Amino acid sequence: MKKYPRLQEYITLAIRLLLAYIFYSIARVLFYFYNSSLIKVDSVMDFLKLCQHGLAFDTTTILYVNGLFILLSIIPLLYNTKKQFQKFLFYLYFGTNLVAYATNFIDFIYYRYTFSRSTRASLDTLENESNKMLLFFDFLIHFWDVFLWFFLLSYFWIFLYKKTKVHQKTELLNLKYFGFSILSFLLILTLCVGGIRGDFKKSTRPINILDASRYVTNVSQSDIVLNTPFSIIRTWNANTFQKVNLLPKTQVDSLLVPIKQYSNNPTTNPNIVIFILESFGREYSGAFNKDAKIPGYEGYTPFVDSLANHSLIFTNAYANGWKSIHGMSSVIAGIPSFQNAFTSSPYPKQKIESLVSVLKSQGYDTSFFHGAPNGSMGFLGFGNILGYDHYYGKTEYNNDADFDGVWGIWDEPFFQYFSKTLSKKEQPFMATLFSISSHEPYKVPDKYEGKFPTGKVNINESIGYTDYSLKQFFAAAKKQSWYKNTIFVMVADHGNTIAYDEYRKEFNKHTVPILFFSPDEKYVGVNRDWAQQIDIYPTLLDMMGYQKSFRSWGRSLINDKQVPPFVIKYGSNLYQFMCGNYICTFDGKKAVGFYAANDKAMDRNLISKRNAEMDALELRCKAFVQDYMDRIIDRRLTTVK
């Protein structure tokens, strides 16, 4: 030790960092334990290999989080070994590490709703919630086991840290002490730079979320390789909205047709009522699963199923995002969300042509209803950007006797409030209602305990309650004068808890029901083509005979002959483009996989057997991403060419 000054300090530092690796590895095992039904891993050996690859991402995270701790541990201050300084390092170490470590535990549960590691955008979502403490305590009660794991592991981590003591010694101000310290400092700094970047190759860019997909056989496995603080750190200031130049603009316009114009129907002015149903995934509705051939299937939406017999329904439809605010922007404005949400980007505050703006130009009164505290989920802010005339939330409802205790007003009374408020409006009107009750913690009012089947997973009972609330709404609406002149739309914002293996498949995540109903039953039937949330906006304009041009990345689901049916969404760190006979996975610049349309589990990548249809599909991917980025960044979300 005398020969190498400060050696015990460096050994202790290495042990303390090693402890972080150990506990991150434990968190990775627990993450898989909680989500093993959603991530396919064939064997223990395959899982261990994924954990091994995860060490590179753990290294980056640990070095970022402990940067100041490492610096203060190795910088030559002469009093590094003193008790008070070591006590300060202790609080610095755990003050930073436990905050970062806790985010892994959030994803033990949150992953089953988003199917991806949380990012900076996940934190942005919380900014709009005024009842954060209430939500926290609700999470604590329902997922107490996750908190228990966190506190037990934190306690054990602290216990082991305290066993790694630095013995106090008096250092002398001499060349040997500073010389050895400076050489060690440079060596450790070099190792840290390499660890943060991923290796020491000059050509290597710092590893990012996408790099986790390099080591997997199924893209969902990349979430085992990753850790949550890494995903948050890498997206903290990252602007994924960047222009790409992949195709000539003329080719983009011909492939995508971003400016639509229909003349298929005579001009009419029906009322438009849109239900965006919280977490009301396609899995839960029997009418949308008749052809799915799922063993032991059970549905929980008897009213929606009965309404579907008199409606036009799409049984192969998808969400264009994975959060509630994504559903709003996709359905109302036709703007999907990919790696990061459009609404969380630097670009939502611009003029946006949407269903709201088009209908307002036609003299419609426009309203948005959401029974949560005003501003929750970011709906009020984005609604103001879109230009809704009215917003009706928990404040306007003004009766906390119907508060569910967590999120907002129960669906049944709020749906009745919705019907009564519409009856006071002049026609034509366009109204959007975003439901609440089919949200975690999946409660139903006490008076309905036992009325709805509890089903196979925790959400099924509350899905039944929302379905019943819809039934009561329609019973009331039928008595109103505006009812017969109305087109009703039902769609989910995204999927949720999964009961059946069919919906655990990568390409079946966030499937949604899409239903159009009008009392005159003008549009009735079952359509099995590809469909998505961003198609709702152009479909409604086509139905009502709007004959001017408008911006839309979606297509009319009833008459569009220019653009073939397709779906674009983002999952497992890749774009997923579905069209015709194939599904293409796309990294933003090139195709990295092709799968048969019925290979929803991604069992067989056909990229080595490319054909003309696959080549055309890749071109459409390029066209969509290029035009999406161009229009958002250049603030051209209108009919501007």
Side-chain angles (χ1 to χ4, degrees):
M1 289 289 186
K2 291 182 179 179
K3 186 176 180 180
Y4 302 104
R6 306 190 68 198
L7 185 58
Q8 68 141 345
E9 295 177 53
Y10 300 138
I11 293 173
T12 302
L13 173 62
I15 294 172
R16 289 169 175 174
L17 295 178
L18 178 61
L19 287 176
Y21 280 97
I22 292 171
F23 284 93
Y24 269 70
S25 296
I26 294 172
R28 179 172 284 109
V29 173
L30 287 172
F31 169 79
Y32 178 66
F33 172 78
Y34 275 89
N35 296 286
S36 57
S37 64
L38 300 173
I39 306 174
K40 182 182 177 182
V41 179
D42 294 327
S43 66
V44 173
M45 186 56 66
D46 287 342
F47 177 74
L48 292 176
K49 288 181 179 177
L50 293 172
C51 292
Q52 178 186 351
H53 293 308
L55 292 175
F57 297 85
D58 291 349
T59 297
T60 298
T61 301
I62 291 167
L63 293 177
Y64 266 125
V65 172
N66 290 279
L68 182 58
F69 173 80
I70 294 170
L71 177 63
L72 294 177
S73 296
I74 63 176
I75 195 169
L77 298 173
L78 291 177
Y79 52 80
N80 300 68
T81 63
K82 289 187 176 181
K83 185 176 181 179
Q84 289 302 315
F85 187 77
Q86 287 296 313
K87 187 176 182 179
F88 168 76
L89 288 180
F90 169 85
Y91 286 112
L92 174 63
Y93 179 86
F94 284 108
T96 52
N97 274 294
L98 292 185
V99 170
Y101 192 54
T103 62
N104 286 305
F105 291 76
I106 293 172
D107 273 345
F108 291 0
I109 304 301
Y110 196 45
Y111 182 83
R112 65 186 65 165
Y113 308 121
T114 63
F115 309 118
S116 65
R117 290 279 189 170
S118 295
T119 63
R120 167 63 189 272
S122 305
L123 303 180
D124 291 339
T125 302
L126 284 174
E127 292 180 3
N128 299 298
E129 302 305 329
S130 59
N131 55 341
K132 294 182 181 67
M133 289 306 298
L134 188 61
L135 295 174
F136 172 78
F137 284 116
D138 182 75
F139 189 89
L140 174 61
I141 292 169
H142 285 87
F143 304 110
W144 59 268
D145 51 322
V146 174
F147 283 86
L148 182 61
W149 275 117
F150 175 71
F151 286 117
L152 286 175
L153 289 171
S154 297
Y155 175 83
F156 192 43
W157 192 348
I158 292 170
F159 172 79
L160 293 176
Y161 179 97
K162 288 183 175 180
K163 295 293 184 181
T164 62
K165 294 182 178 179
V166 172
H167 299 291
Q168 184 171 334
K169 60 181 296 188
T170 302
E171 298 289 358
L172 299 176
L173 183 62
N174 56 44
L175 181 61
K176 185 177 183 181
Y177 172 82
F178 280 107
F180 188 77
S181 293
I182 291 171
L183 289 175
S184 300
F185 178 88
L186 294 174
L187 175 61
I188 293 171
L189 181 63
T190 302
L191 292 173
C192 287
V193 170
I196 289 173
R197 288 176 56 83
D199 62 37
F200 292 94
K201 296 177 182 177
K202 185 177 180 180
S203 60
T204 303
R205 56 176 171 77
I207 59 171
N208 59 29
I209 293 174
L210 192 61
D211 289 315
S213 300
R214 293 161 46 194
Y215 309 109
V216 304
T217 55
N218 183 300
V219 290
S220 62
Q221 294 173 352
S222 62
D223 291 310
I224 297 176
V225 177
L226 292 167
N227 61 72
T228 302
F230 178 90
S231 297
I232 294 173
I233 290 168
R234 278 290 185 251
T235 58
W236 192 261
N237 289 315
N239 179 12
T240 59
F241 288 80
Q242 297 179 355
K243 290 187 179 184
V244 291
N245 186 18
L246 304 173
L247 298 172
K249 186 179 184 304
T250 53
Q251 190 175 11
V252 169
D253 290 343
S254 65
L255 289 169
L256 198 59
V257 194
I259 305 300
K260 304 289 194 298
Q261 187 169 14
Y262 299 124
S263 56
N264 302 305
N265 293 299
T267 301
T268 57
N269 290 304
N271 303 309
I272 304 294
V273 172
I274 301 173
F275 285 91
I276 305 178
L277 301 173
E278 174 65 54
S279 301
F280 210 87
R282 194 172 82 202
E283 173 182 347
Y284 313 128
S285 296
F288 293 83
N289 286 278
K290 288 182 178 179
D291 300 328
K293 298 178 181 179
I294 299 173
Y297 176 81
E298 295 178 8
Y300 303 93
T301 61
F303 172 73
V304 169
D305 293 348
S306 66
L307 190 67
N309 293 326
H310 307 278
S311 307
L312 176 60
I313 68 171
F314 294 83
T315 60
N316 193 25
Y318 290 78
N320 296 111
W322 61 95
K323 293 182 182 177
S324 296
I325 189 65
H326 304 175
M328 181 185 178
S329 67
S330 297
V331 172
I332 306 302
I335 303 174
S337 290
F338 300 125
Q339 183 175 349
N340 292 112
F342 163 71
T343 50
S344 298
S345 75
Y347 305 105
K349 295 179 181 178
Q350 58 176 291
K351 186 176 181 180
I352 299 173
E353 192 169 51
S354 68
L355 194 58
V356 177
S357 66
V358 171
L359 294 185
K360 283 183 69 171
S361 73
Q362 300 300 106
Y364 278 66
D365 176 271
T366 59
S367 304
F368 191 90
F369 291 75
H370 186 226
N374 291 32
S376 177
M377 306 280 192
F379 295 150
L380 178 56
F382 189 56
N384 287 338
I385 291 173
L386 295 181
Y388 275 102
D389 295 315
H390 314 285
Y391 183 94
Y392 300 91
K394 183 171 177 285
T395 300
E396 288 72 21
Y397 185 82
N398 195 30
N399 184 2
D400 283 353
D402 295 325
F403 180 49
D404 66 8
V406 180
W407 282 105
I409 306 302
W410 293 109
D411 279 353
E412 184 190 10
F414 196 74
F415 285 14
Q416 292 300 305
Y417 168 74
F418 182 41
S419 175
K420 291 176 183 177
T421 305
L422 294 183
S423 298
K424 298 175 183 177
K425 292 185 175 295
E426 292 187 8
Q427 302 182 58
F429 57 75
M430 174 265 188
T432 307
L433 182 141
F434 207 114
S435 71
I436 279 180
S437 296
S438 46
H439 196 294
E440 195 280 326
Y442 314 119
K443 299 191 300 182
V444 299
D446 292 341
K447 66 180 180 179
Y448 291 127
E449 287 291 341
K451 178 177 176 63
F452 310 107
T454 54
K456 299 179 184 295
V457 290
N458 51 10
I459 195 175
N460 293 154
E461 184 179 24
S462 57
I463 290 290
Y465 169 67
T466 296
D467 180 75
Y468 175 77
S469 302
L470 287 166
K471 179 180 179 180
Q472 299 304 103
F473 167 84
F474 275 88
K478 282 181 181 178
K479 301 174 184 178
Q480 307 303 321
S481 60
W482 52 266
Y483 176 76
K484 290 185 178 180
N485 185 40
T486 302
I487 298 174
F488 296 90
V489 182
M490 289 186 194
V491 63
D493 56 345
H494 50 68
N496 205 287
T497 312
I498 298 171
Y500 300 103
D501 289 342
E502 181 65 23
Y503 285 97
R504 292 191 178 99
K505 296 175 180 177
E506 177 60 33
F507 294 139
N508 264 346
K509 293 175 179 175
H510 293 310
T511 53
V512 297
I514 293 180
L515 177 153
F516 295 88
F517 168 74
S518 56
D520 62 5
E521 298 191 22
K522 182 178 181 181
Y523 298 102
V524 177
V526 178
N527 189 302
R528 298 173 180 83
D529 289 339
W530 301 108
Q532 56 193 324
Q533 290 170 331
I534 63 173
D535 294 334
I536 291 173
Y537 161 34
T539 301
L540 285 170
L541 294 187
D542 192 5
M543 285 180 170
M544 60 183 286
Y546 182 78
Q547 305 205 6
K548 298 178 182 178
S549 60
F550 62 97
R551 176 207 58 81
S552 172
W553 285 308
R555 59 185 294 278
S556 170
L557 293 171
I558 57 172
N559 285 309
D560 199 320
K561 301 296 189 294
Q562 285 185 289
V563 180
F566 77 100
V567 169
I568 187 167
K569 67 189 190 81
Y570 197 84
S572 298
N573 307 314
L574 293 168
Y575 294 92
Q576 299 171 359
F577 198 102
M578 309 173 180
C579 184
N581 297 309
Y582 297 102
I583 300 170
C584 174
T585 55
F586 185 75
D587 68 4
K589 294 183 178 179
K590 65 182 185 303
V592 294
F594 290 99
Y595 302 85
N598 60 358
D599 182 11
K600 300 296 177 63
M602 302 181 68
D603 288 329
R604 188 182 177 199
N605 191 338
L606 304 174
I607 196 166
S608 62
K609 300 180 180 180
R610 290 183 66 140
N611 57 36
E613 185 177 351
M614 294 178 188
D615 291 341
L617 190 54
E618 181 177 15
L619 288 176
R620 294 192 65 198
C621 291
K622 291 179 177 180
F624 198 105
V625 172
Q626 180 171 320
D627 195 69
Y628 178 85
M629 296 300 176
D630 281 354
R631 289 183 179 276
I632 287 176
I633 294 171
D634 291 341
R635 303 180 184 276
R636 292 188 294 114
L637 294 177
T638 63
T639 51
V640 175
K641 301 279 187 183

